Amino acid sequence: MSPYELALAKIDAAHRDDPTTITITNNPHSPESPTTIPYELHYAQQMTFYLDRLDPSASDLLRLAIRAQHLRRWELPRTTYPATKPGYHAWRTELQRRQAALAEQICLESGYTAAQAERVGALVRKADLKRGDAETQTLEDVACLVFLDDQLDGFEGQLGDEEKMVGILRKSWGKMSARGREEALKIRMSEKGRELVGRALAG
């Protein structure tokens, strides 16, 4: 196996440990439907699906970072931090640090150089997003697309506050590139999801 194939297999093996499962019915992103798989493996497959839509020729290092975005995320639940805005940001920062470190370790174990492993870690952390790094922007676009496609309705239900949800969508839209926004407008959403996105874009 090549370093890429080995690293990808290790990342997906970690995703399969996720105790939360999802049953997928008539999902074009899944090779078999209906099927029940660990949620984080499903999320990783969705990430790869949208990466292929945005950048079919993406580098192997970006592909690994995309696949490792939620690496062992369930081991650090949101409830381990205070239910406050600072608590949320602290949780997100630690998640990114932890996931990046795990991804780097897998890359090194799979035969990548230290510099290559560090690049994957930097992408997972989105370290260069504000500096205009093209691959980091692609990763951000992909994460936003998966949120809109796969998580919007569930998140809106948990939040229970439409105005906050509209604000979150507005911020997400602001993080996306023109290409990402173009792809977002093609996503099939529920009637409620489409309404919330419309309100966000009208603001």
Side-chain angles (χ1 to χ4, degrees):
M1 296 177 74
S2 68
Y4 172 74
E5 292 169 329
L6 186 56
L8 186 63
K10 287 176 178 287
I11 290 169
D12 281 355
H15 290 322
R16 289 190 180 92
D17 289 340
D18 183 9
T20 301
T21 59
I22 182 171
T23 299
I24 306 166
T25 304
N26 297 324
N27 189 331
H29 311 171
S30 178
E32 297 179 8
S33 185
T35 185
T36 299
I37 63 173
Y39 176 75
E40 293 302 353
L41 180 60
H42 164 71
Y43 179 87
Q45 290 173 347
Q46 294 277 82
M47 291 287 286
T48 296
F49 172 83
Y50 276 108
L51 175 61
D52 286 337
R53 294 285 290 269
L54 290 180
D55 186 5
S57 61
S59 71
D60 286 351
L61 298 185
L62 177 56
R63 289 186 173 279
L64 292 175
I66 287 280
R67 202 74 170 190
Q69 245 328 263
H70 278 191
L71 194 55
R72 307 200 73 84
R73 183 186 179 97
W74 67 90
E75 293 179 342
L76 190 67
R78 173 67 183 90
T79 53
T80 57
Y81 284 77
T84 61
K85 189 172 183 179
Y88 171 77
H89 287 299
W91 171 67
R92 286 296 301 269
T93 297
E94 177 58 18
L95 269 180
Q96 288 183 330
R97 184 207 64 78
R98 188 174 185 273
Q99 290 163 179
L102 289 169
E104 287 185 39
Q105 181 181 351
I106 286 174
C107 288
L108 289 171
E109 292 172 352
S110 302
Y112 280 105
T113 66
Q116 290 170 323
E118 288 172 6
R119 173 60 176 167
V120 171
L123 286 167
V124 171
R125 294 195 314 275
K126 302 179 187 177
D128 298 321
L129 183 60
K130 292 182 179 179
R131 290 194 283 270
D133 182 85
E135 288 192 318
T136 309
Q137 182 60 61
T138 296
L139 190 150
E140 180 69 31
D141 285 345
V142 168
C144 290
L145 289 168
V146 173
F147 173 71
L148 290 170
D149 184 11
D150 195 58
Q151 300 172 321
L152 176 57
D153 288 333
F155 190 76
E156 190 274 332
Q158 292 174 16
L159 192 62
D161 186 323
E162 289 191 5
E163 289 309 312
K164 283 187 178 179
M165 192 67 235
V166 168
I168 289 169
L169 288 169
R170 194 169 291 138
K171 288 179 181 178
S172 296
W173 194 260
K175 294 177 182 178
M176 298 176 74
S177 69
R179 177 70 184 88
R181 292 171 182 172
E182 178 185 344
E183 193 64 39
L185 294 175
K186 301 176 184 177
I187 294 175
R188 289 186 178 181
M189 301 178 193
S190 67
E191 183 177 341
K192 185 64 175 180
R194 182 65 65 180
E195 176 197 340
L196 291 170
V197 170
R199 286 167 59 185
L201 299 186

